[in-house]
C-alpha cells in the first residue's frame, strides 16, 4: 500500500507513463492481462515436468499435439511470445508494397507488418469506432471494404487478411462466426490466406455462444475449433487465453510457409523445438490451452469483467459498450471532454486513476496509435483507458475497489488537466514515452 | 581426500528412457543422421549442449515461485539487474529471452554491409546474426588454439598482432566492435587470459573500438585464470570476473550457461545512447525493457544463478569433471582437444576418422556412431556448422572438425561420465567401419540445426 504523496512522486519519476511505474508501487495491477494470469495447480505440476533438452523436448511434442487437437492447425512453431511469432510470420509472408487488411490494428502486429514492408488497412465495421454503439459483434469485418481493397490493389498484393478474435483495440469486441465464414468465402474467391490473431479466441467463442443464433448449445471447445477451421494459420500470444506467464506460437497449415518459418525461428528465437522457451513453459502452455476452453472457466472469467463493467455503468462512467472480454475500456474523450486529443486525455486519465488509489491501467489512444510512415500522428477515433483484468488473480472485492476509485476520479474530472509529451521513442512509443503536466 | 565430490545432493530426478542399439539405428535414420532432430526421449546421455540444460538449485526453484509477473517494473527485474551490475559494473542492463536475441539487437544496430566484427572466435548464432545484418565476422584465434593436440594454458587467446594488422587493413571506422568470447566455445571451451584481455583492450582503446565480452561462460574462464595465470591464485573468482568486465565496454550473455538458467540472457553496457537504441528495438521483438521476453520467475532464477556459479567448490568440481573425462580418453589414445576445456570434451574427428574426407563430414559421422553405440548425443562443430560453399558450389571446410560433448551443469554423476568414456573408446576401437555422410537438404543459414543427411554408399 502506498500513500497519495508516494504515488505522486512515483508518477513524476515515471514521466506519467503507467508502464514506467515499479510494480511494487502498484496496488491493483490492471496494466495488462498478458502474462499476468495465475497458473493452475496442474500447470505448476507441468512446470516440474519440463524436459530442458535443447532439441526434441517431450514438452514440444505435447504442445504440438494440443495445438492440433484443440485448434486444428497442422504445424506449430513455439516462440518466446506472440510478437516473436508476428515478427517471423511478417518476414515470411509480406513483401515490400503489400497491403494487409485487418479488423483494427494492434500495436505490435501493425509494426511488424510495416517493418516487413507492408501497409495495414483497417476493414473493421464502422460500429467498432463508436464506443456507444451496442452492436453485439463489433469485431466484424466490413466485407465491402475488404472487397474494394482487393479490387483496388489486386489479390497478389495482399499476402493475407489479418483477423483478430476478440479485437483488443476496439475494447475486446468479438467477431461473429457468420462474419468470419463470409470473410472466408470472399478470400477463397480471390485465393487469399486468413491469418488469425488468436490470443483471445476462447473469449471470442464465449460471446458467440451467448449471442449468436445456433451456438447456445455448443461448447467453447467446439466453437474455438470451428473459428480456427476458417483460417489458414495463426499467431498466438499464449500469455492471454492460455493462462501462462510466457510463451506463444506460430501455427500454419501450409507446409512451405512452415518450413520457411522454421528456418527463420532459429535466428530470432531458438531451435524450432523450443523457440526460445524453457521446456517447462511449453508444458504449462499445453495444459493452459486445455483449461482455456473449459466452459466454466470462461463463464467465470468474462462474468467478472461484466460485473465490473456494470458497476461502472451504474456510476455513469462512460465505457465502451457492449462490455468486452478482457477488460473495461473507459472512454477518455467523454470522461475528460475538456482535454483535446493532442493533450492526451487517456494518458492523463490513466495517471489520475493511479494517483487516486494505486490502480494501474493502460492508455489505448493517440499515444498507442503512434505515427504514420510520413511522421504524422495517427488520430484514432477511440481514446480509451484499458482496465485489463488478469485471469484468476483478483476477487470480486478488488472489482468493487476499482469501480469505487474510478467513480471518485469521475467526480473531480473538471479539475484534471492534460499533458505534453517530453520524450518519444521511435517504435511503440507508448511503452517508454514520458510526459509532463500542462 | 583425493576424490572431488559433487558439491550438491540430488532432490529431484528425471528418469532416463533406455533403448537398444537396433532401435537407435532406426531412430538415427529417421532423424536423417542429425542429432538435433532426435527426440530427447530417445537419448540416454544428452551432451548436445550445456545451454539451458543445467539443473537448477533448490534456491533457484524457490526463486521461480517468487517471480513477480507484472508486465512493467517487476521487482524480479530489479533483483536481476542488481545481480548483473554487481559482476559487470555496467549501468544499463537489458534482459532478452536468450543470448542470441541480445546479439540480434546489438548487431542490427551496429552491423550492416561493409562492417567487420573481430573476435577470438565467434560462436555459430553470433556469426549468423552478424552475417544476417550484412556485416562480416573475422576470427583471430592465437596459433596454439588451432592445434588440437598441443596443450597450452590459454588457447582461447586472441592473436593481438593479427588484430593490429586487421584494424589497419579494414580501417577502425569499419569495425564497430571487437568481441572476446569467454571461454572460447567453438575453439574447444578454452580460456582467455587476463593478460590477453588487457592487451586487446589496449589495442581497441587506441583505435576507439569498443570491446565487448561474449560472457556465456565467464565464471569458468575466471576459474581458469585463478588456477593458471600468475598473480591470480589469491583472488576470488568473483574479483577476477569483475576485473575482466572492468576492461569491457559491454557484454552479451546467454544465461543458459553459467547462470544455470533454462532460459534467458542479457545485454549490459556503458554507452547510454546505444542502450537507448537497443531498448527501442527490444520492445519490437523481445518485450518491454523490464522483462525482455522472460517470465519474472526466470529473471529471479538468473539472479540467483549468477551468485551460485561463482562458488569455488562448484567451479573446482565442474572443471575437474571435464578434465576427468578428457584424461580417460587421452589414456585410451582417443584424439581429443588438449588441455581439457571448461564445459565440454572436444573429439578431433579429422584424426579420429582419418579415412573420411572433410567433404563427407567426419564430425557428423562421429556423432551418429556415438549415438548408435550408447545413446550419447553430441554435436558436430566443424564443416557442417561452419562450412560454406565457394562460387563453384564446392565446400570451403571449417578450420577444425570437432565433435563437442558438452556436459550439462550439475546434471550427471561420475558413473554417467564413466559410461560416456566407455562408449567413445568402443567407437574408437571400431572406427574403421564408420562411413561418411552427404547432405540431402539444408537451410541457407544455421544449416546444422535442421539439415538432413544420409550415409555415402560404399
Amino acid at each position: 500500500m502506498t500513500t497519495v504523496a508516494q504515488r505522486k512522486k512515483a508518477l513524476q519519476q515515471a514521466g506519467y507513463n503507467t508502464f514506467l511505474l515499479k510494480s511494487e508501487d502498484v496496488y491493483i495491477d490492471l496494466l495488462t492481462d498478458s502474462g499476468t494470469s495465475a497458473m493452475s495447480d496442474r500447470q505448476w505440476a507441468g512446470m516440474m515436468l519440463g524436459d530442458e533438452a535443447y532439441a526434441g523436448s517431450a514438452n514440444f511434442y505435447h504442445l504440438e499435439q494440443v495445438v492440433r487437437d484443440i485448434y486444428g492447425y497442422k504445424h506449430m512453431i513455439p516462440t518466446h511470445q506472440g510478437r516473436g511469432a508476428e515478427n517471423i510470420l511478417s518476414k515470411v509472408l509480406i513483401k515490400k508494397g503489400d497491403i494487409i487488411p485487418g479488423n483494427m490494428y494492434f500495436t505490435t502486429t501493425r509494426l511488424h507488418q510495416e517493418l516487413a514492408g507492408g501497409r495495414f488497412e483497417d476493414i473493421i465495421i464502422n460500429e467498432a469506432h463508436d464506443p456507444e454503439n451496442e452492436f453485439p459483434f463489433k469485431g466484424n469485418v466490413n466485407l465491402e471494404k475488404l472487397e474494394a481493397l482487393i479490387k483496388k490493389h489486386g489479390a497478389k498484393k495482399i499476402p493475407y487478411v489479418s483477423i483478430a478474435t476478440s479485437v483488443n483495440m476496439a475494447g475486446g469486441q468479438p467477431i461473429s462466426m457468420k462474419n468470419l465464414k463470409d470473410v472466408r468465402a470472399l478470400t477463397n474467391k480471390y485465393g487469399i490466406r486468413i491469418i488469425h490473431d488468436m490470443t483471445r479466441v476462447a473469449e471470442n467463442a464465449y460471446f458467440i455462444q451467448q449471442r449468436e443464433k445456433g451456438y447456445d448449445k455448443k461448447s467453447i471447445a467446439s466453437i474455438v475449433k470451428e473459428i480456427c477451421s476458417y483460417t489458414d494459420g495463426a499467431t498466438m500470444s499464449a500469455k492471454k487465453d492460455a493462462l501462462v506467464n510466457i510463451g506463444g506460437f506460430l501455427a500454419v497449415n501450409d507446409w512451405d510457409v512452415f518450413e520457411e518459418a522454421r528456418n527463420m525461428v532459429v535466428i530470432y528465437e531458438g531451435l524450432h523445438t523450443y523457440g526460445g522457451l524453457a521446456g517447462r513453459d511449453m508444458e504449462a502452455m499445453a495444459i493452459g490451452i486445455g483449461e482455456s476452453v473449459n466452459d466454466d472457466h470462461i463463464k467465470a472469467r468474462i462474468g467478472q469483467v461484466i460485473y465490473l463493467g456494470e458497476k461502472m455503468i451504474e456510476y455513469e462512467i462512460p465505457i465502451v459498450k457492449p462490455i468486452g472480454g478482457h477488460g473495461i475500456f473507459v472512454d477518455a474523450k467523454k470522461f475528460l471532454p475538456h482535454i483535446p486529443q493532442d493533450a492526451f486525455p487517456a494518458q492523463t486519465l490513466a495517471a489520475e486513476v493511479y494517483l487516486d488509489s494505486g490502480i494501474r491501467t493502460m492508455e489505448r489512444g493517440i499515444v498507442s496509435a503512434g505515427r504514420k510512415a510520413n511522421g504524422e500522428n495517427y488520430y484514432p477515433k477511440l481514446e480509451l483507458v484499458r482496465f485489463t483484468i488478469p485471469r484468476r488473480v483478483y476477487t470480486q472485492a478488488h472489482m468493487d475497489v476499482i469501480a469505487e476509485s474510478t467513480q471518485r476520479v469521475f467526480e473531480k474530472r473538471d479539475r484534471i488537466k492534460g499533458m505534453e509529451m517530453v520524450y518519444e521513442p521511435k517504435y511503440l512509443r507508448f511503452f517508454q514515452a514520458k510526459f509532463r503536466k500542462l | 581426500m583425493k576424490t572431488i565430490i559433487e558439491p550438491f545432493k540430488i532432490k529431484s530426478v528425471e528418469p532416463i528412457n533406455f533403448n537398444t542399439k537396433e532401435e537407435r539405428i532406426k531412430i538415427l535414420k529417421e532423424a536423417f543422421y542429425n542429432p538435433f532432430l532426435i527426440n530427447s526421449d530417445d537419448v540416454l546421455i544428452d551432451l548436445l549442449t550445456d545451454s539451458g540444460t543445467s539443473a537448477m538449485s533448490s534456491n533457484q526453484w524457490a526463486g521461480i515461485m517468487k517471480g513477480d509477473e507484472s508486465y512493467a517494473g517487476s521487482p524480479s527485474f530489479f533483483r536481476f539487474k542488481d545481480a548483473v551490475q554487481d559482476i559487470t559494473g555496467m549501468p544499463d542492463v537489458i534482459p532478452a529471452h536468450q543470448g542470441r536475441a541480445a546479439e540480434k539487437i546489438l548487431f542490427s544496430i551496429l552491423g550492416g554491409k561493409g562492417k567487420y566484427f573481430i573476435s577470438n572466435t565467434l560462436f555459430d548464432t553470433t556469426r549468423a546474426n552478424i552475417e544476417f545484418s550484412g556485416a562480416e565476422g573475422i576470427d583471430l584465434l592465437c596459433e596454439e588454439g588451432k592445434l588440437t593436440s598441443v596443450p597450452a594454458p590459454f588457447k582461447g587467446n586472441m592473436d593481438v598482432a593479427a588484430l593490429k594488422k586487421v584494424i589497419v587493413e579494414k580501417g577502425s571506422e569499419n569495425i564497430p566492435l571487437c568481441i572476446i568470447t569467454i571461454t572460447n566455445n567453438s575453439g574447444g571451451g578454452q580460456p582467455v587470459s587476463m593478460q590477453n584481455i588487457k592487451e586487446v583492450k589496449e589495442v581497441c582503446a587506441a583505435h576507439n573500438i569498443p570491446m565487448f565480452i561474449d560472457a556465456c561462460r565467464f565464471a569458468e574462464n575466471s576459474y581458469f585464470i585463478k588456477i593458471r595465470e600468475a598473480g591470480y591464485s589469491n583472488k576470488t573468482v568473483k574479483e577476477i570476473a569483475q576485473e575482466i568486465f572492468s576492461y569491457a565496454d559491454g557484454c552479451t550473455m546467454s544465461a543458459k550457461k553459467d547462470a544455470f538458467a533454462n532460459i534467458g540472457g542479457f545485454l549490459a553496457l556503458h554507452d547510454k545512447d546505444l542502450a537507448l537504441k537497443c531498448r527501442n528495438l527490444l520492445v519490437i521483438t523481445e518485450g518491454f525493457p523490464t522483462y525482455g521476453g522472460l517470465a519474472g520467475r526466470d529473471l529471479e532464477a538468473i539472479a540467483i544463478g549468477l551468485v551460485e556459479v561463482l562458488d569455488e567448490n562448484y567451479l573446482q568440481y565442474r572443471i575437474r569433471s571435464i578434465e576427468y573425462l578428457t584424461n580417460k580418453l587421452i589414456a585410451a589414445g582417443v584424439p581429443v582437444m588438449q588441455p581439457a576445456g571448461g564445459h565440454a570434451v572436444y573429439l578431433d574427428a579429422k584424426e579420429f576418422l582419418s579415412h573420411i574426407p572433410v567433404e563427407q563430414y567426419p564430425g557428423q559421422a562421429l556423432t551418429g556412431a556415438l549415438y548408435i553405440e550408447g545413446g550419447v548425443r553430441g554435436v558436430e562443430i566443424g564443416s557442417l556448422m561452419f562450412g560454406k560453399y565457394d562460387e563453384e558450389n564446392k565446400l570451403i571446410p571449417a578450420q577444425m572438425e570437432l565433435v563437442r560433448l558438452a556436459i550439462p551443469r550439475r546434471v550427471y554423476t561420475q558413473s554417467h561420465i564413466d559410461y560416456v568414456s566407455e562408449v567413445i573408446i568402443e567407437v574408437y576401437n571400431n572406427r574403421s567401419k564408420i562411413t561418411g555422410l552427404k547432405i540431402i537438404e539444408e537451410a541457407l543459414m544455421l544449416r546444422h540445426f535442421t539439415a538432413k543427411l544420409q550415409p555415402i554408399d560404399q
Side-chain angles (χ1 to χ4, degrees), chain B residues 8-218:
Chain B
F8 53 80
K9 48 188 181 167
I10 297 164
K11 193 190 273 296
S12 175
V13 296
E14 192 179 344
I16 290 174
N17 190 18
F18 286 88
N19 49 21
T20 64
K21 200 166 171 177
E22 287 66 39
E23 285 166 336
R24 291 193 293 270
I25 289 171
K26 195 165 158 260
I27 291 164
L28 187 67
K29 193 176 167 201
E30 282 165 3
F32 294 96
Y33 300 87
N34 186 346
F36 280 103
L37 303 179
I38 299 174
N39 293 359
S40 71
D41 268 349
D42 296 326
V43 176
L44 271 67
I45 308 277
D46 202 347
L47 308 183
L48 183 69
T49 177
D50 62 325
S51 177
T53 53
S54 302
M56 289 204 292
S57 65
S58 47
N59 259 328
Q60 283 181 297
W61 274 104
I64 290 273
M65 296 302 300
K66 270 174 64 187
D68 178 317
E69 304 302 343
S70 303
Y71 195 85
S74 159
S76 303
F77 168 74
F78 294 105
R79 281 191 281 273
F80 159 81
K81 189 174 120 184
D82 289 346
V84 174
Q85 283 178 338
D86 185 33
I87 297 168
T88 65
M90 294 174 192
D92 278 287
V93 179
I94 300 172
H97 83 278
Q98 55 181 6
R100 81 186 71 185
E103 291 170 354
K104 175 92 209 152
I105 287 167
L106 187 66
F107 298 131
S108 26
I109 293 168
L110 297 177
K113 216 171 152 45
K115 303 278 184 199
Y116 300 89
F117 289 87
I118 304 177
S119 176
N120 48 345
T121 310
L122 297 162
F123 194 59
D124 60 346
T125 52
T126 319
R127 177 170 282 279
N129 270 319
I130 287 170
E131 290 172 358
F132 195 77
S133 81
E136 265 179 65
I138 301 176
D139 292 342
L140 301 175
L141 188 60
C142 64
E143 278 311 310
E144 62 267 31
K146 295 170 195 163
L147 307 167
T148 53
S149 55
V150 180
F154 292 104
K155 289 172 80 172
N157 280 357
M158 190 185 266
D159 184 337
V160 178
L163 172 65
K164 288 179 185 160
K165 221 175 111 202
V166 170
I167 293 175
V168 173
E169 257 173 50
K170 306 291 182 193
S172 59
E173 68 282 6
N174 298 319
I175 304 171
L177 276 190
C178 180
I179 302 151
I180 300 195
T181 312
I182 58 172
T183 58
N184 181 21
N185 185 9
S186 310
Q190 300 293 333
V192 179
S193 70
M194 192 72 86
Q195 181 61 30
N196 189 248
I197 293 171
K198 276 196 241 179
E199 285 171 14
V200 171
K201 172 67 190 177
E202 273 168 31
V203 174
C204 287
H207 292 89
N208 274 325
I209 299 170
M211 186 184 88
F212 269 52
I213 306 264
D214 178 346
C216 298
R217 299 177 182 85
F218 76 96

Side-chain angles (χ1 to χ4, degrees), chain A residues 6 10 16 19 29 31 35-36 42 47 55 71 88 97 110 113 152 211 214 323 326 332 349 365 383 394 418 421 424:
Chain A
Q6 284 168 333
Y16 296 91
F19 272 100
D29 203 345
L31 183 71
T36 53
R42 283 166 207 223
M47 290 279 291
Y71 299 132
I88 288 163
R110 186 178 65 194
Q113 291 164 356
K152 186 177 166 199
R211 298 177 186 168
I323 296 163
H326 64 294
L349 180 53
E383 179 73 22
Y394 293 115
M421 204 186 306
E424 179 177 354

Side-chain angles (χ1 to χ4, degrees), chain A residues 316-381:
Chain A
E316 294 177 352
I317 297 162
I319 65 167
V320 173
K321 291 173 203 163
I323 296 163
H326 64 294
I328 301 304
F329 291 69
V330 174
D331 184 349
K333 271 187 190 167
K334 274 236 168 67
F335 198 111
L336 299 171
H338 57 288
I339 299 180
Q341 200 166 12
D342 282 318
F344 311 110
Q347 191 77 32
T348 304
L349 180 53
E352 289 296 330
V353 169
Y354 171 73
L355 192 61
D356 178 76
S357 59
I359 294 169
R360 170 154 72 171
T361 59
M362 182 196 290
E363 192 263 11
R364 289 273 97 146
I366 186 168
V367 183
S368 295
R371 289 177 189 273
K372 297 177 192 168
N374 64 10
E376 282 172 32
N377 274 316
Y378 283 106
Y379 283 92
K381 289 195 183 107

Side-chain angles (χ1 to χ4, degrees), chain A residues 19 23 47 51 53-56 61 80-81 83 112 245-246 259 266 268-269 274 276 280-281 360 425 431, chain B residues 36 39-40 49 70-73 75 97-98 100 262-263 280 283-286 288 291 293 297-298 377 441:
Chain A
F19 272 100
S23 74
M47 290 279 291
D51 170 1
Y54 193 86
Y61 295 104
H80 81 281
Q81 56 180 4
R83 76 189 81 184
H112 285 296
N245 303 117
I246 196 73
E259 241 193 338
V266 294
Y268 289 93
E269 298 289 309
Y274 78 92
R280 59 174 171 267
D281 293 317
R360 170 154 72 171
F431 279 138
Chain B
F36 280 103
N39 293 359
S40 71
T49 177
S70 303
Y71 195 85
H97 83 278
Q98 55 181 6
R100 81 186 71 185
N262 301 119
I263 197 72
N280 275 335
V283 295
I284 302 176
T285 51
E286 291 298 296
F288 188 70
Y291 78 91
R297 57 175 171 266
D298 295 316
R377 172 154 75 170
E441 202 183 303

